[in-house]
Amino acid sequence: MKYLLFFISTLCLCSGHHTIPLLRFSVFLDPRHEIYLRWDHDDEDAMMTFELQAPSTGWVAFGFTHNKKITGADFVIGGVLPDGNIYFSDWHGVNEETILEDESQDYELLSLTQDATSTTMAFQRYFRTCDQNDLDITGDTLRVLAAYGTNDTIDFFKGRIVHKSLFLMLQSTEEELQPPSVYHVYDLKLNDFPVPVDDTTYACTFIPLPIVKTKHHIYKFEPQITPRNITLVHHILVYACGNASALPSGVSDCYGADPAFALCSQVVVGWAVGGGSYMFPNETGISIGTPLDPQWIRLEVHFSNFDLIPGLIDNSGLRLYYTPELRPHDMGILQTGVFIFPIHFIPPGTDSFMSYGVCNTSHFEEINGAPVPDMHVFGYLLHTHLAGRGLRGVLYRNGQQVTILCEDNKYDFNLQEARNLKETVVMKPGDEFLLECRYQTLDRTELTFGGPSTLNEMCLAFLFYYPRNNISSCMGYPDIQHVANELGQEASDAVEGMMAINLVEWDNDTIKKAEKTCKEVDQIVIIKTIDEVVRNDTGFIRDIIDSEPLPCKDISHPLAKRQAKYLTTPLLTSEAMGTKDIFPLHVLRVILLGFTWLLCISQGGL
């Protein structure tokens, strides 16, 4: 081993730079705003390009993990040596104490530079490579890893390592969406609200929308969270009220003793944990100022004060941006999924449990009171609580699956954000929309019911569409009496059915039977309008045809060939890397490094 390290130390290091494409998206990966990531994607070529800047003049790293675990992680390590030469290579995590360099190198270095305080590394790779040690880049929420050390001796596990959940398949920036030249802002927020010393609080109040003389469009919203309460605010929803509604004053529990504070159910805008500002596409906005538009809204702020902190005062809410520069279409939001309470349940101790809620649009026109045009769905927000692991929204027409409209198979409760579709999807009258939610409750010993607390569960998808109609929600739930009977419990109605579910002894067999039964029984579908008109319907759960994965693209080079470009490992020891064998092909590599030396001389660098 010592001879090999000596050979590397005398190796000619090649360096070079490629043209880096324009990178539209960016984010800080750490709370101190020191590690900065820029990226962009080429969907036609299935290629993702990254640029990482870290506050280090030593090694830096970036990649992907399974839930913050080093085991199975996929990342690159690079840096600039004191003599100006560079090193860069593709690695993977073997276990929580061991990382190894990939034999198949699937990341392409574009640029590696360093100044007195930081290192900047730009590189690219295909969404799906042909290397089993690489993780796919998908339209799911991905867990990214960034790390760096103080020098070029790579002691990975002693470096600073940060993790962040990101959705990389963003479609556009606010600059690309062409903000209007004239706009106004308006805040919908609580005013000095004393947060109760309680684990769950839903605070509601009614606020008028901006008064304008002519039609305007709301085109953007952003959260306004009281800084001290950032970890307490779970979600903020704004519901449009029918103009004939008699609304209460003050602030009260949304779903408490006074049912008036639960009035108004058509979502206008919404924010949840991890989300940021959201600008609607250029072709649509929320209409205000006409006789048909709502004049008042219900503001709902959900607090999760699990630490029972006293004396908190809150002024959180949402800021609306509106403009007289009108867009072509008025937009609406349709709430879909599983009817929340009290029918929804998830058994304890399960690695995977599926819940389903179906929306049948056949009666939309009847309940809307006017013809319902095709709904052009352009965006969505998915929502579960802490047990949620994945969601899929599927569109059916004439009994056949049209498309998986929205999905996140790696859902993270701490990153709930509005996302745009790559292409608008048309939902026609008579279509069905199914939402599937996957849960994991290995850490729970009791049933989890649907409900308002973060420790309860939800299964929701908010679909952003145009042109607007009066339908506010369309949600389903299984015939719970039938489910209880199939699980060996006596029940004569839905209430007894839910009580009977509590009596089931849960094991692998009963969990599988409950999931199968919930999928196969009839669904009750509840449709509601902005004016609180309710219509019950029926439906059933259709099978889901999985999306075909992208074909893998192999641009990899054997490790030794890549060393003709970049030194992969600067003066390391197995102890420093935390691995038993950082050079699995010792003899072959010595020979190939000799060819690398000759190639560097002949090329004079890249």
Side-chain angles (χ1 to χ4, degrees):
M1 176 67 76
K2 66 179 180 179
Y3 298 110
L4 182 58
L5 293 177
F6 175 78
F7 194 91
I8 294 176
S9 70
T10 60
L11 178 64
C12 168
L13 304 180
C14 309
S15 62
H17 301 278
H18 301 267
T19 300
I20 303 174
L22 175 66
L23 304 180
R24 296 176 295 161
F25 311 113
S26 62
V27 68
F28 284 103
L29 299 181
D30 64 318
R32 297 188 303 208
H33 286 191
E34 293 179 338
I35 306 174
Y36 188 60
L37 179 70
R38 298 171 62 231
W39 79 94
D40 208 342
H41 49 90
D42 181 343
D43 295 340
E44 183 175 347
D45 199 31
M47 178 73 78
M48 186 75 72
T49 303
F50 300 95
E51 183 182 79
L52 179 75
Q53 184 178 67
S56 169
T57 57
W59 61 269
V60 299
F62 175 84
F64 307 93
T65 73
H66 294 291
N67 294 321
K68 302 181 180 180
K69 301 291 187 182
I70 297 299
T71 304
D74 164 31
F75 51 92
V76 288
I77 300 175
V80 181
L81 292 173
D83 62 4
N85 286 301
I86 59 178
Y87 54 95
F88 176 84
S89 62
D90 183 1
W91 294 74
H92 67 276
V94 178
N95 54 48
E96 295 307 296
E97 297 179 349
T98 307
I99 64 173
L100 283 178
E101 198 168 15
D102 289 11
E103 292 187 14
S104 175
Q105 295 283 303
D106 297 284
Y107 289 78
E108 198 73 40
L109 181 65
L110 302 177
S111 175
L112 230 172
T113 59
Q114 193 174 92
D115 59 24
T117 60
S118 64
T119 298
T120 302
M121 180 171 66
F123 50 95
Q124 61 186 11
R125 59 154 278 193
Y126 286 124
F127 296 166
R128 185 165 181 255
T129 75
C130 300
D131 182 3
Q132 64 178 358
N133 290 318
D134 290 340
L135 299 182
D136 292 349
I137 298 175
T138 67
D140 302 317
T141 296
L142 300 180
R143 276 68 168 175
V144 303
L145 166 153
Y148 61 84
T150 57
N151 55 51
D152 292 300
T153 298
I154 307 172
D155 196 339
F156 185 81
F157 293 97
K158 291 184 179 179
R160 183 188 177 200
I161 302 175
V162 300
H163 301 271
K164 190 176 182 67
S165 291
L166 284 181
F167 175 66
L168 294 176
M169 297 300 182
L170 298 173
Q171 296 301 315
S172 58
T173 64
E174 289 193 1
E175 291 74 17
E176 292 174 304
L177 289 175
Q178 302 169 359
S181 59
V182 177
Y183 69 91
H184 310 279
V185 298
Y186 187 80
D187 289 342
L188 304 171
K189 66 184 185 67
L190 298 173
N191 291 311
D192 294 333
F193 174 70
V195 179
V197 183
D198 198 355
D199 60 2
T200 300
T201 299
Y202 276 70
C204 276
T205 189
F206 296 87
I207 304 173
L209 283 167
I211 298 175
V212 289
K213 295 181 180 179
T214 61
K215 179 174 179 175
H216 285 58
H217 268 142
I218 298 170
Y219 68 92
K220 176 184 173 180
F221 65 88
E222 66 183 16
Q224 301 286 301
I225 311 296
T226 301
R228 186 182 176 186
N229 301 338
I230 189 68
T231 60
L232 277 67
V233 181
H234 172 280
H235 76 243
I236 303 172
L237 287 173
V238 174
Y239 298 91
C241 298
N243 290 333
S245 302
L247 305 176
S249 59
V251 182
S252 187
D253 186 344
C254 303
Y255 308 106
D258 188 348
F261 280 88
L263 290 173
C264 312
S265 60
Q266 188 171 60
V267 177
V268 180
V269 290
W271 171 91
V273 176
S277 64
Y278 179 71
M279 183 181 292
F280 302 119
N282 295 331
E283 62 267 24
T284 189
I286 299 169
S287 178
I288 58 174
T290 79
L292 296 178
D293 295 328
Q295 299 173 13
W296 284 74
I297 60 91
R298 171 166 66 96
L299 175 69
E300 173 183 297
V301 183
H302 174 192
F303 298 95
S304 294
N305 187 5
F306 287 111
D307 293 329
L308 305 179
I309 303 171
L312 296 176
I313 302 297
D314 192 78
N315 290 278
S316 297
L318 294 177
R319 173 165 293 173
L320 306 181
Y321 292 76
Y322 62 102
T323 178
E325 299 175 14
L326 299 181
R327 276 101 185 280
H329 302 286
D330 299 338
M331 67 155 286
I333 296 179
L334 177 66
Q335 181 175 330
T336 65
V338 179
F339 193 73
I340 298 171
F341 185 81
I343 305 301
H344 192 194
F345 73 92
I346 301 110
T350 175
D351 184 55
S352 177
F353 186 86
M354 301 295 191
S355 294
Y356 300 90
V358 69
C359 168
N360 187 338
T361 69
S362 298
H363 297 286
F364 269 23
E365 184 168 312
E366 175 188 335
I367 193 174
N368 185 60
V372 175
D374 290 351
M375 300 168 64
H376 294 75
V377 182
F378 63 85
Y380 60 93
L381 189 152
L382 303 176
H383 182 68
T384 76
H385 288 176
L386 297 175
R389 295 296 182 269
L391 304 91
R392 290 194 295 180
V394 187
L395 182 67
Y396 299 88
R397 184 170 300 144
N398 299 322
Q400 302 297 314
Q401 180 172 320
V402 176
T403 185
I404 295 179
L405 190 151
C406 55
E407 66 181 323
D408 189 345
N409 299 298
K410 298 179 181 178
Y411 177 83
D412 184 349
F413 172 82
N414 293 305
L415 184 64
Q416 302 179 51
E417 56 187 357
R419 297 173 178 175
N420 285 337
L421 296 174
K422 182 179 178 182
E423 296 179 350
T424 298
V425 174
V426 176
M427 183 182 294
K428 293 180 173 293
D431 286 356
E432 298 167 273
F433 180 78
L434 170 66
L435 186 63
E436 173 193 75
C437 292
R438 175 170 50 87
Y439 299 95
Q440 185 183 84
T441 57
L442 292 175
D443 59 343
R444 303 189 183 191
T445 57
E446 303 291 337
L447 270 173
T448 299
F449 286 104
S453 169
T454 307
L455 297 178
N456 296 135
E457 267 307 332
M458 295 186 179
C459 175
L460 300 175
F462 300 90
L463 304 182
F464 305 169
Y465 72 92
Y466 64 82
R468 182 187 72 190
N469 58 56
N470 290 324
I471 308 297
S472 60
S473 65
C474 181
M475 307 172 72
Y477 63 90
D479 181 342
I480 198 66
Q481 177 190 348
H482 184 88
V483 174
N485 294 156
E486 285 295 308
L487 292 172
Q489 305 297 318
E490 294 184 4
S492 58
D493 56 28
V495 175
E496 289 187 5
M498 281 308 300
M499 295 175 64
I501 292 295
N502 254 326
L503 303 177
V504 176
E505 293 186 10
W506 295 106
D507 54 30
N508 287 337
D509 291 337
T510 52
I511 289 171
K512 290 178 181 178
K513 190 170 186 178
E515 182 182 68
K516 183 174 184 290
T517 304
C518 286
K519 182 178 180 181
E520 292 178 350
V521 300
D522 289 342
Q523 285 243 328
I524 292 87
V525 180
I526 300 178
I527 306 170
K528 185 182 288 188
T529 73
I530 188 174
D531 295 314
E532 304 297 312
V533 176
V534 178
R535 165 70 183 262
N536 288 351
D537 200 354
T538 59
F540 63 94
I541 306 304
R542 301 184 185 276
D543 290 333
I544 300 174
I545 302 172
D546 294 337
S547 300
E548 288 291 331
L550 291 173
C552 72
K553 291 192 173 185
D554 188 357
I555 60 167
S556 67
H557 305 287
L559 184 56
K561 184 176 178 181
R562 287 291 292 265
Q563 287 173 335
K565 284 187 176 182
Y566 312 109
L567 177 68
T568 57
T569 321
L571 295 182
L572 303 179
T573 67
S574 57
E575 290 78 14
M577 291 308 304
T579 176
K580 296 178 181 179
D581 186 4
I582 58 175
F583 297 118
L585 301 175
H586 303 295
V587 178
L588 177 61
R589 191 167 294 188
V590 170
I591 298 171
L592 292 173
L593 286 173
F595 285 110
T596 300
W597 169 266
L598 295 174
L599 184 57
C600 285
I601 294 175
S602 64
Q603 291 184 345
L606 296 180

